[in-house]
Amino acid sequence: GKERLIATLGAGDFFGETGLLEGRSVRAASVFATAPLEVLAIDRKVFNEVASVHNSSALSTSMRERAEARQRARLLKVFENMSVSLSQRRRFGKGAVVYQQGSPAQLFYIVNEGELEMSVNKPDGGSVRVKTLRPGDHLGYDAIFSEVHDTTVTCLSEVELTEVTKEV
């Protein structure tokens, strides 16, 4: 696919949290250094401990707030690059599957109403909940950065989503 600049990072910034927050095992974007730098790598276990909503430490709170702000900024940058209209709204009933892991990724979504469960399939056929999505959350990054979904998203209630097409 075509390379797009999503963000320029500086001292104190971080990246890779989207994959960890969404339970991804494959990166959806590449990061390139434009100058010599030092980075601190945090594995999934440590990240989940630090970023847990059950951890009320100042570091945890700051990390969650910065990750959410970064995601919003990235989302806006992607929309600027795509010149999309956010007028496409779609309703789903409780229990409906928005998309399944491994299915073609064609739409990016913003949650307007309701709650959804994001999960990943286990090799034994079961699934593991990655996170619960609520109004203001977004899902389906695979439609922008990849070809197939790496998670399954199911409606926990009646849901309204804004759909954004992959077409630029």
Side-chain angles (χ1 to χ4, degrees):
K2 181 180 163 188
E3 287 186 14
R4 296 181 201 154
L5 176 65
I6 296 170
T8 301
L9 307 176
D13 284 334
F14 52 90
F15 58 91
E17 75 282 0
T18 301
L20 295 173
L21 290 168
E22 293 186 358
R24 296 174 188 234
S25 58
V26 177
R27 293 203 180 272
S30 299
V31 177
F32 298 96
T34 58
L37 61 104
E38 286 185 29
V39 296
L40 170 65
I42 300 175
D43 66 19
R44 182 179 306 274
K45 181 180 180 214
V46 172
F47 176 84
N48 287 338
E49 288 174 11
V50 173
S52 169
V53 294
H54 304 294
N55 184 338
S56 60
S57 72
L59 174 61
S60 179
T61 301
S62 173
M63 192 170 177
R64 279 193 310 275
E65 289 172 354
R66 289 180 67 192
E68 290 169 7
R70 182 172 232 37
Q71 289 304 95
R72 286 190 297 275
R74 286 179 181 161
L75 177 61
L76 291 173
K77 183 71 172 178
V78 167
F79 286 152
E80 286 172 14
N81 289 339
M82 294 175 69
S83 301
V84 297
S85 166
L86 299 180
S87 62
Q88 297 176 303
R89 296 183 183 257
R90 183 164 173 209
R91 297 199 70 80
F92 293 84
K94 181 178 180 178
V97 175
V98 177
Y99 57 77
Q100 291 185 321
Q101 184 174 335
S103 65
Q106 299 172 337
L107 297 169
F108 175 85
Y109 301 90
I110 301 168
V111 181
N112 301 320
E113 298 173 15
E115 288 191 348
L116 304 99
E117 173 185 79
M118 180 179 286
S119 61
V120 292
N121 297 333
K122 297 189 317 187
D124 67 8
S127 65
V128 175
R129 178 182 288 188
V130 175
K131 70 188 285 188
T132 300
L133 301 163
R134 294 179 176 84
D137 288 337
H138 28 86
L139 57 142
Y141 284 99
D142 306 311
I144 298 169
F145 299 115
S146 182
E147 298 297 320
V148 297
H149 291 293
D150 56 11
T151 60
T152 296
V153 175
T154 307
C155 299
L156 298 175
S157 67
E158 296 288 318
V159 169
E160 180 185 83
L161 302 175
T162 296
E163 295 181 334
V164 180
T165 64
K166 186 175 185 173
E167 304 307 316
V168 177

